[in-house]
């Protein structure tokens, strides 16, 4: 019979060493599986943040050295979202270990804060979403009808009223979606740079996000990633393709640091034009490949199609705290309708084929 307190064997421990592992790290006196486990050099806080913020890209799994399940999680888009949630729960519950089966450093010290922050942010996000939906509901208050017993005007009064000049109301000046983009993400003078092969391009100062329009005429890997001032990754891979490329994408919406430099990996000639988010065109009905657009309509539905064979994703960035803007994330062809938040917002499309988008 199996002992209910028998420690499960971590996936990283070879078969020939499993008995030694159980003998070296027995279960604690109160059934605590982790009581006698060695401490990993991998941080609980880092694993929690990676699982929560970058879980769809399996960064948490790769960080723990679990390359096999990391690749599986990445290529299945975190099990269509379910794996992302499971790994957050496993990490917060202390069940997640590194590849060698060691417990994560700092779990006992930081688990309460991590759990409270996760629950608080989730609750606040739901609350903000509910308030935003209520604020954008149409006003159905009807105009007040005149009283039935109100005295009718005389013929002279009616004639005067008909002859009176029509005074046009001055329209109220409202902020445009371009003004919103400049206020939310900053502005700068456009920058254009060309080159060949690998290189680094300094991002313009004075903005937290921007648009990158790129071309490449080589035949091998072409990639654009974002680095901070210390040349560490900020977690953004803007472009990653093979061969020729022409498209428009963005940096800054999902950055894990202060963006400072674009790292170019290329085997051919390339060109980059970096512009403020406010320069993006309004949401287009159709297009090909990657693109960035502005939307200022009301909340509703977004119907989209895609005829490509690679990843097709649509993200809506509203600049609201804790907003989860991943609307579509599919491989290959797609046809469907998803919820769309009210503008002003930016819509980012990642595609390798023809696509259509209709906001209703």
């Amino acid at each position: 019979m199996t002992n209910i307190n028998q420690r499960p064997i971590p996936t990283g421990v070879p078969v020939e060493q499993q008995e030694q592992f159980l003998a070296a790290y027995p279960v604690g006196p109160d059934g605590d599986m982790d009581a006698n486990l060695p401490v990993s050099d991998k941080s609980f806080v880092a694993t929690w943040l990676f699982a929560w913020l970058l879980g769809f890209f399996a960064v948490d799994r790769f960080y723990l050295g679990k390359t096999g399940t990391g690749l599986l999680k990445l290529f299945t888009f975190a099990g269509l979202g379910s794996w992302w949630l499971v790994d957050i729960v496993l990490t917060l519950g202390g069940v997640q270990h590194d590849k060698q089966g060691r417990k994560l450093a700092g779990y006992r010290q930081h688990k309460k804060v991590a759990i409270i922050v996760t629950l608080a942010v989730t609750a606040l996000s739901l609350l903000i979403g509910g308030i935003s939906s209520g604020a954008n509901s149409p006003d159905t208050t009807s105009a007040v009808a005149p009283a039935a017993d109100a005295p009718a005007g005389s013929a002279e009064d009616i004639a005067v009223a008909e002859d009176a000049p029509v005074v046009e109301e001055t329209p109220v000046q409202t902020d445009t979606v371009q003004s919103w983009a400049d206020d939310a993400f900053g502005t700068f003078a456009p920058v254009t740079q060309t080159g060949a092969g690998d290189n680094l391009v300094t991002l313009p100062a004075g903005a937290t996000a921007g648009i990158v329009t790129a071309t490449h005429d080589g035949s091998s890997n072409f990639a654009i990633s974002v680095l901070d001032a210390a040349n560490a990754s900020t977690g953004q891979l803007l472009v990653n393709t093979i061969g020729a490329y022409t498209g428009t994408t963005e940096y800054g919406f999902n950055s894990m640091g202060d963006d400072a430099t674009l790292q170019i990996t290329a085997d051919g000639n390339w060109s980059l034009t970096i512009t403020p988010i406010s320069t993006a065109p309004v949401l287009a009905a159709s297009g090909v490949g990657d693109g960035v657009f502005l939307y200022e309509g009301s909340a509703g539905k977004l119907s989209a199609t895609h005829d490509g064979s690679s990843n097709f994703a649509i993200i809506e960035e509203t600049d609201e705290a804790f907003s989860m803007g991943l609307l579509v994330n599919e491989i290959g062809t797609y046809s469907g309708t998803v919820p769309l938040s009210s503008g002003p917002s930016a819509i980012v499309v990642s595609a390798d084929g023809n696509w259509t988008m209709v906001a209703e």
Side-chain angles (χ1 to χ4, degrees), residues 12-29:
V13 179
V15 175
E16 62 273 13
Q17 298 179 12
Q18 290 182 3
E19 290 188 6
Q20 295 93 321
F21 180 89
L22 292 175
Y25 308 115
V27 175

Side-chain angles (χ1 to χ4, degrees), residues 201-205 226-232 234 236 251 255 257-263:
V201 175
T202 301
L203 289 170
V226 186
L227 308 176
D228 62 17
N231 287 334
T234 61
Q236 301 169 94
Y251 68 89
S255 177
D258 295 326
D259 303 330
T261 306
L262 296 181
Q263 181 178 11

Side-chain angles (χ1 to χ4, degrees), residues 52-135:
W52 187 17
L53 303 176
L54 296 172
F56 276 98
F57 303 103
V59 175
D60 54 323
R61 290 268 164 175
F62 291 126
Y63 172 70
L64 296 176
K66 301 178 180 181
T67 306
T69 55
L71 291 173
L72 182 61
K73 183 178 180 181
L74 176 64
F75 292 135
T76 60
F77 301 101
L80 299 181
S82 59
W83 201 339
W84 170 78
L85 179 60
V86 167
D87 274 352
I88 293 175
V89 174
L90 291 177
T91 302
L92 292 176
V95 182
Q96 192 71 284
H97 301 123
D98 68 7
K99 184 178 181 180
Q100 287 73 39
R102 299 174 298 180
K103 60 185 178 184
L104 302 180
Y107 173 70
R108 292 189 179 276
Q109 298 94 314
H110 303 294
K111 65 178 180 179
K112 286 187 178 180
V113 173
I115 292 172
I116 291 172
V117 169
T118 303
L119 294 177
V121 170
T122 302
L124 185 58
S125 179
L126 293 174
L127 178 61
I128 292 175
I131 294 175
S132 177
S133 298

Side-chain angles (χ1 to χ4, degrees), residues 8 23 26-27 31 36 54 56 74 78 97 100 144 149 183 256 295 309:
V27 175
N36 297 307
L54 296 172
F56 276 98
L74 176 64
H97 301 123
Q100 287 73 39
V144 178
D149 57 353
D183 291 341
M256 295 291 291
Y295 175 69
S309 59

Side-chain angles (χ1 to χ4, degrees), residues 15-338:
V15 175
E16 62 273 13
Q17 298 179 12
Q18 290 182 3
E19 290 188 6
Q20 295 93 321
F21 180 89
L22 292 175
Y25 308 115
V27 175
D30 297 322
D32 184 357
M33 295 287 182
D34 285 352
N36 297 307
L37 280 182
V39 178
S40 173
D41 58 349
K42 304 298 183 182
S43 164
F44 160 72
V45 173
T47 305
W48 161 57
L49 292 175
F50 286 149
W52 187 17
L53 303 176
L54 296 172
F56 276 98
F57 303 103
V59 175
D60 54 323
R61 290 268 164 175
F62 291 126
Y63 172 70
L64 296 176
K66 301 178 180 181
T67 306
T69 55
L71 291 173
L72 182 61
K73 183 178 180 181
L74 176 64
F75 292 135
T76 60
F77 301 101
L80 299 181
S82 59
W83 201 339
W84 170 78
L85 179 60
V86 167
D87 274 352
I88 293 175
V89 174
L90 291 177
T91 302
L92 292 176
V95 182
Q96 192 71 284
H97 301 123
D98 68 7
K99 184 178 181 180
Q100 287 73 39
R102 299 174 298 180
K103 60 185 178 184
L104 302 180
Y107 173 70
R108 292 189 179 276
Q109 298 94 314
H110 303 294
K111 65 178 180 179
K112 286 187 178 180
V113 173
I115 292 172
I116 291 172
V117 169
T118 303
L119 294 177
V121 170
T122 302
L124 185 58
S125 179
L126 293 174
L127 178 61
I128 292 175
I131 294 175
S132 177
S133 298
N136 292 318
S137 298
D139 185 2
T140 58
T141 304
S142 60
V144 178
D149 57 353
S154 65
E156 183 178 354
D157 292 337
I158 294 174
V160 171
E162 289 178 349
D163 293 338
V166 177
V167 179
E168 296 185 0
E169 294 184 2
T170 303
V172 178
Q173 184 67 35
T174 58
D175 290 337
T176 65
V177 66
Q178 288 81 12
S179 298
W180 163 81
D182 282 338
D183 291 341
F185 309 110
T187 187
F188 51 86
V191 174
T192 298
Q193 188 162 335
T194 60
D198 297 351
N199 211 330
L200 298 174
V201 175
T202 301
L203 289 170
T208 60
I211 295 174
V212 178
T213 300
T215 66
H216 177 239
D217 66 4
S219 60
S220 188
N221 183 229
F222 176 60
I224 305 176
S225 56
V226 186
L227 308 176
D228 62 17
N231 287 334
S233 172
T234 61
Q236 301 169 94
L237 184 60
L238 308 188
V239 178
N240 189 20
T241 190
I242 300 295
Y245 174 84
T246 299
T248 301
T249 184
E250 56 75 33
Y251 68 89
F253 287 170
N254 297 296
S255 177
M256 295 291 291
D258 295 326
D259 303 330
T261 306
L262 296 181
Q263 181 178 11
I264 315 298
T265 302
D267 73 326
N269 300 295
W270 52 262
S271 68
L272 291 181
T273 299
I274 307 170
T275 56
I277 297 296
S278 60
T279 62
V282 297
L283 183 63
S286 62
V288 182
D290 299 345
V292 180
F293 306 93
L294 295 177
Y295 175 69
E296 56 182 343
S298 58
K301 299 183 294 184
L302 182 69
S303 299
T305 66
H306 178 238
D307 67 4
S309 59
S310 189
N311 183 229
F312 177 58
I314 303 175
I315 297 174
E316 181 180 20
E317 174 60 43
T318 62
D319 194 39
E320 293 182 1
F322 318 122
S323 174
M324 301 295 287
L326 184 62
L327 306 185
V328 177
N329 193 11
E330 284 288 342
I331 295 293
T333 59
Y334 174 83
S335 178
T337 301
V338 295

